[in-house]
Amino acid sequence: MMRIRILVAAFISALVCLLAAAQSDVASQIEEAQQLANEGKYQEARAILEPLAREGQAAAQYAMGIVYANGFGVPESKSTALDWFKQAASQDHGRALYHVGLYYDRGIGVAPNSFLALENYKRGGEAGDGEAAYNAGQILLTRENRSAEDEALGTRYILLSAREETPRALIAAGWVSENGIGVDRNLTAALGYYQRADRAEHAMAEYFLHDLLDLMSAEAKTYLQAGNPEDAMRLYDAMCEGTVFEGCYQAGYHRLRGNSGVQRNRTRALRDLRLPCKHLYKNACAYLSEAVLFSNGPYEQSDITVTRERLEDACNTGDQSQCYNLAYMKADYRFRMYDLDGAMALLKTACWDENYSKACGPYAELFNRRYPAQAPSGGSSSSGGNFWSALAGAISGYSSAVSGASYQSSYGSYSSGGQSYGQQARSNAYARNLQFNEMTRRIEQYGSTAGCSQGNQYC
């Protein structure tokens, strides 16, 4: 019994190999015939195709239909062409089914028959022919007195056609998705279809995209106003995933600020804002810079470069708040600038020359870290006396010291590490004034507030 099974298995395997070889030979012969036809050698091409067609090869039967439909080396005959197409269609040849449907649809070589046209288009669509599926969908969706069942089935064939990247089907798929015809309304899906149609160079895709993006933006704003940030961000994210600058810009802005009920996520905002900043879209680079300074990354080098260049430009015009921020970047290891001396120089100029008092504390902090031996102990030091005198003058008016404290800088937290950086630099009044400066700076520069402690009279 085992031997019989082995012999049967061997026979089947050999038969499969023979069939595969035969099909490969047929394919090569049809390819040869096609090449001859392309060269205008129709008689030679027909000599190869016709025997194969009469043997029942569907691809050859379809090719013979094309020969007679166009009169390639034979008298043109639509009825003969239809006969050949029907033979191939009986074997579920998708393209032949499309042609049979087309002939009945338009009455080519046969009396028009809308029922047979639709049936052949449907079968062709099921067999993978995009044009047949599209035509089936169009008939069902545009017929008079169509039912909900017609719409559902028509949309199904439109979506089948879209799978084959048929450009006009992609537009139709976008339209039914946008308007909820035969399917649930889905603007995200519509965007994907229109963009694929645009890549396929459909002439109308740009207009459909423009209108849809306007609609998505408007609906997202409406969601925000109605207190529904989740659906708003879903639309913005869908736009951003489709590389639409406006979507990335809005998604990044709202995540950065955490307004309108959107959960703040500066790391995600940083990622969202990269694309619109790269293309200089609106204020994306300004918000990207804010995300860089307020988040912990991960950063790309371009993020750091954009932020540094913006701060340098502002600092060079005399904006000491941005000189302060630039110093922060130079001093913080996250930004890989490793320029402590440059940071100290910026802070010293801001504090001493420009009376930007907010820079005085960080300058003293960095001075302590850079030159710990010169830090005063008990209010006096044998070296660096001029520095401490100038610092005391810059922060005069603040009272008793607060030991062991830390304060919030513009974008990070500096800690003294147990060292004092001046007799009056850590006073309660000084800490609260820093809080106030932080709050007003953010309001002026970014439109959002920083928190203040309870009872802070400066806020």
Side-chain angles (χ1 to χ4, degrees), residues 99-122:
H99 279 82
V100 174
L102 186 67
Y103 274 43
Y104 280 114
D105 193 4
R106 298 185 181 177
I108 302 173
V110 68
N113 188 317
S114 59
F115 175 80
L116 289 177
L118 178 58
E119 290 304 304
N120 279 278
Y121 283 148
K122 287 163 63 178

Side-chain angles (χ1 to χ4, degrees), residues 198-216:
D198 190 43
R199 289 193 291 270
E201 300 183 348
H202 189 285
M204 297 298 294
E206 180 180 351
Y207 302 101
F208 281 94
L209 265 174
H210 179 273
D211 290 346
L212 176 65
L213 293 175
D214 280 350
L215 176 63
M216 293 178 78

Side-chain angles (χ1 to χ4, degrees), residues 88-357:
S90 68
Q91 300 185 63
D92 289 328
H93 188 283
R95 200 60 186 159
L97 284 160
Y98 164 76
H99 279 82
V100 174
L102 186 67
Y103 274 43
Y104 280 114
D105 193 4
R106 298 185 181 177
I108 302 173
V110 68
N113 188 317
S114 59
F115 175 80
L116 289 177
L118 178 58
E119 290 304 304
N120 279 278
Y121 283 148
K122 287 163 63 178
R123 286 179 56 204
E126 299 290 351
D129 187 85
E131 292 291 338
Y134 176 81
N135 285 0
Q138 283 292 89
I139 289 174
L140 289 163
L141 291 172
T142 59
R143 62 173 29 167
E144 292 184 9
N145 302 318
R146 64 182 177 275
S147 64
E149 184 180 352
D150 289 335
E151 289 190 351
L153 189 57
T155 294
R156 176 177 177 274
Y157 281 107
I158 290 295
L159 299 182
L160 273 178
S161 182
R163 291 182 190 174
E164 304 301 319
E165 299 299 314
T166 310
R168 58 181 179 164
L170 291 168
I171 291 291
W175 181 253
V176 297
S177 299
E178 178 181 346
N179 293 279
I181 300 172
V183 290
D184 291 336
R185 185 170 182 265
N186 189 329
L187 299 186
T188 300
L191 176 62
Y193 286 124
Y194 289 152
Q195 287 185 320
R196 285 160 61 187
D198 190 43
R199 289 193 291 270
E201 300 183 348
H202 189 285
M204 297 298 294
E206 180 180 351
Y207 302 101
F208 281 94
L209 265 174
H210 179 273
D211 290 346
L212 176 65
L213 293 175
D214 280 350
L215 176 63
M216 293 178 78
S217 294
E219 289 202 5
K221 291 177 183 176
T222 300
Y223 282 135
L224 289 176
Q225 293 167 357
N228 184 357
E230 292 81 8
D231 282 338
M233 295 304 290
R234 176 178 52 78
L235 289 176
Y236 285 140
D237 286 340
M239 295 167 68
C240 188
E241 288 171 9
T243 67
V244 177
F245 302 156
E246 174 70 9
C248 296
Y249 176 80
Q250 293 293 345
Y253 169 77
H254 288 290
R255 286 195 173 97
L256 177 66
R257 295 297 178 78
N259 54 10
S260 299
V262 177
Q263 184 175 3
R264 176 172 282 175
N265 186 333
R266 290 164 176 160
T267 299
R268 176 69 182 273
L270 179 64
R271 188 165 75 244
D272 291 335
L273 291 163
R274 281 178 183 137
L275 178 66
C277 176
K278 179 180 178 180
H279 293 272
L280 304 179
Y281 185 79
K282 293 185 178 179
N283 297 316
C285 291
Y287 293 128
L288 175 72
S289 298
E290 183 180 341
V292 167
L293 293 169
F294 274 100
S295 74
N296 291 319
Y299 308 115
E300 294 181 358
Q301 184 57 46
S302 59
D303 303 332
I304 296 172
T305 300
V306 165
T307 305
R308 174 179 54 78
E309 289 176 349
R310 291 182 63 82
L311 296 181
E312 286 175 345
D313 289 344
C315 182
N316 289 336
T317 65
D319 186 342
Q320 295 307 309
S321 68
Q322 301 310 317
C323 295
Y324 178 97
N325 295 337
L326 181 60
Y328 169 69
M329 287 192 73
K330 289 176 178 287
D332 196 298
Y333 72 94
R334 290 176 300 156
F335 304 110
R336 303 187 291 276
M337 297 175 72
Y338 310 113
D339 186 7
L340 196 60
D341 290 335
M344 291 179 65
L346 288 168
L347 292 170
K348 180 178 179 181
T349 298
C351 175
W352 289 8
D353 299 340
E354 302 297 335
N355 294 318
Y356 187 69
S357 60

